[in-house]
Every structure is written in structure tokens, then in C-alpha cells.
Amino acid sequence: AQKITQTQPGMFVQEKEAVTLDCTYDTSDPSYGLFWYKQPSSGEMIFLIYQGSYDQQNATEGRYSLNFQKARKSANLVISASQLGDSAMYFCAMYKPGGGADGLTFGKGTHLIIQP
Amino acid sequence: DVKVTQSSRYLVKRTGEKVFLECVQDMDHENMFWYRQDPGLGLRLIYFSYDVKMKEKGDIPEGYSVSREKKERFSLILESASTNQTSMYLCASSLWDISGANVLTFGAGSRLTVL
């Protein structure tokens, strides 16, 4: 079975600083995908970024980048120049193709608070 | 804009009541999911459906059932609500093959309180 671990239950960061949210995963499958979602206080889960296991380059989307270290089974989210609106819960998730109901696994989340 | 719509944002029910949580998507997605979210436990999958009338149990199906009579609608049913089912419930949908181009799209959530 696959597993996602987010070791930081909460983080406080000063506005404009860079933030790294940790995510490690465990799977024996060679093919998988890694996602990050943001959940603001409104409750809706917002997709941020995706990394495929065979992708050669780290994924980037605006201020978000994914630091993918395959050998270490690590997929940390980096937010550059943090903003007050980045305060939210962040979830790392892993997908195994063809996995059906077991195919998508979420971590327990990190609560990020950006301080002015 | 594509949407997953959950019919109720907030519900308050009494122990023993039958509760229906409705979810509708307008993206013609094959997959639909119901998750439960609790502090410190993250998202836990209750049920998953990959087609009309098809369903698979997730991690915590006990005390819940689901119905998918139409492709766009996936209902979560609590036959007899209990206080330990007080939680945030999230519905999501996706194309059959989840990948970077076809991620899960979530609804806004339904916060259920059982008294």
C-alpha cells in the first residue's frame, strides 16, 4: 500500500519569505503521480501542482515549485515570496495509475500561516 | 467554469436521522469520490464510483452508503447519523485516468454536525 507523510502539522512564516512544505511518499510502483492541493478557510480544495514519476524536470506553476527527489521519495512544495493569501492547509497526494479506489492517497496536511 | 457542487454547505442533524449529501458535477467525469476530513487525520476516502451504478468501498465505508444513478450525481447517505459522523465531507470528481492533466476537482465541502 502506498503512503504519504507530511511531517509538519503547522508552520508560521514571515510574509515574503520562501516556504518549503515537506512531503515524503512510499510506493513500490515505478509509475505514479504526485499532487499538491491548497485548502483555504473557505474549505474548497484547490489544485496547485503535479509531478509525474517519469518527469525529468521539477514542476513549476508560478510561485509554486515541486522539489522532486525520486531516490529519496520526496516531493516538497516550495512557495516563493509568500503572501498573506497563502495561509491555508496544504495537502500532498499520490496517485497510482489504475489504482481505482486505492489509487489516490492524501497526506494529513500542513497548516501554513503567513505572518505580516 | 467547471464545477463540483455540493448541495449543502452546513447541516445540523440529530442522532438517528437519515442524512443525504448530494454532489453534482458538470464535467462529464467518470470518477466521483466522497471523502471525510477531520483535523489531524487528513482526507479519508469513504466511497468511490467509476461509473453509473458502480461503487467501491474506500478506507472508512462503515455507517455510509452511496448512490450513483446518473453520471453527474453522487449521493452519500448516512442511514442513521451518529455523533462520530460530525465532520467535513468533500466530494470530488475526475476523468477515469487521473494524471497531471486530469486531476481531482473538489466541491466546497459540506460541514455536518450531528447532535
Side-chain angles (χ1 to χ4, degrees), chain A residues 74-91:
Chain A
S74 162
N76 297 343
L77 177 70
V78 179
I79 307 173
S80 63
S82 58
Q83 302 170 356
L84 296 178
D86 294 331
S87 295
M89 284 290 292
Y90 288 82
F91 292 94

Side-chain angles (χ1 to χ4, degrees), chain A residues 35 37 39 42 50 91 95 101, chain B residues 9 37 40 45 98 100 103-104:
Chain A
F35 302 84
Y37 282 85
Q39 186 183 39
S42 59
Y50 167 83
F91 292 94
Y95 170 67
Chain B
R9 288 299 307 272
Q37 183 181 8
L45 181 65
I98 300 171
V103 298
L104 264 67

Side-chain angles (χ1 to χ4, degrees), chain A residues 52-64:
Chain A
S53 60
Y54 294 118
D55 293 344
Q56 295 296 313
Q57 303 217 352
N58 287 347
T60 60
E61 290 286 347
R63 293 188 299 115
Y64 303 108

Side-chain angles (χ1 to χ4, degrees), chain B:
Chain B
D1 196 17
V2 294
K3 281 288 185 192
V4 176
T5 303
Q6 295 183 230
S7 55
S8 304
R9 288 299 307 272
Y10 301 95
L11 301 95
V12 180
K13 298 291 181 180
R14 296 204 178 273
T15 301
E17 281 192 75
K18 190 169 186 175
V19 181
F20 291 88
L21 299 179
E22 304 285 343
C23 176
V24 177
Q25 51 95 2
D26 63 1
M27 297 167 281
D28 201 33
H29 281 172
E30 290 84 10
N31 296 336
M32 295 190 75
F33 306 79
W34 274 107
Y35 287 92
R36 171 176 171 161
Q37 183 181 8
D38 300 288
L41 297 178
L43 275 70
R44 292 180 291 169
L45 181 65
I46 305 172
Y47 268 99
F48 159 68
S49 170
Y50 55 89
D51 200 353
V52 174
K53 296 191 187 293
M54 305 304 287
K55 60 186 179 184
E56 283 190 26
K57 292 180 180 179
D59 301 316
I60 51 164
E62 296 79 18
Y64 304 94
S65 61
V66 290
S67 171
R68 193 164 181 203
E69 297 296 319
K70 294 184 178 180
K71 190 176 185 180
E72 67 270 18
R73 187 179 297 269
F74 192 35
S75 302
L76 180 69
I77 302 153
L78 288 67
E79 293 288 341
S80 177
S82 63
T83 53
N84 63 12
Q85 292 178 309
T86 291
S87 187
M88 168 73 97
Y89 291 88
L90 292 168
C91 176
S93 72
S94 76
L95 290 170
W96 188 83
D97 179 30
I98 300 171
S99 69
N102 303 315
V103 298
L104 264 67
T105 301
F106 282 85
S110 297
R111 189 169 293 281
L112 172 67
T113 301
V114 183
L115 301 176

Side-chain angles (χ1 to χ4, degrees), chain A residues 1 4 16-17 29 39-40 43 46 50 53 56 61 67 69 72-73 83 85 88 94 96 100 104-105 108 112 114:
Chain A
I4 292 278
K16 298 181 184 174
E17 288 184 355
D29 292 291
Q39 186 183 39
I46 302 166
Y50 167 83
S53 60
Q56 295 296 313
E61 290 286 347
N67 184 2
Q69 298 188 41
R72 298 177 63 183
K73 294 188 176 179
Q83 302 170 356
M94 178 169 62
K96 179 180 71 175
L104 187 62
T105 305
K108 293 185 178 180
L112 175 65
I114 307 298

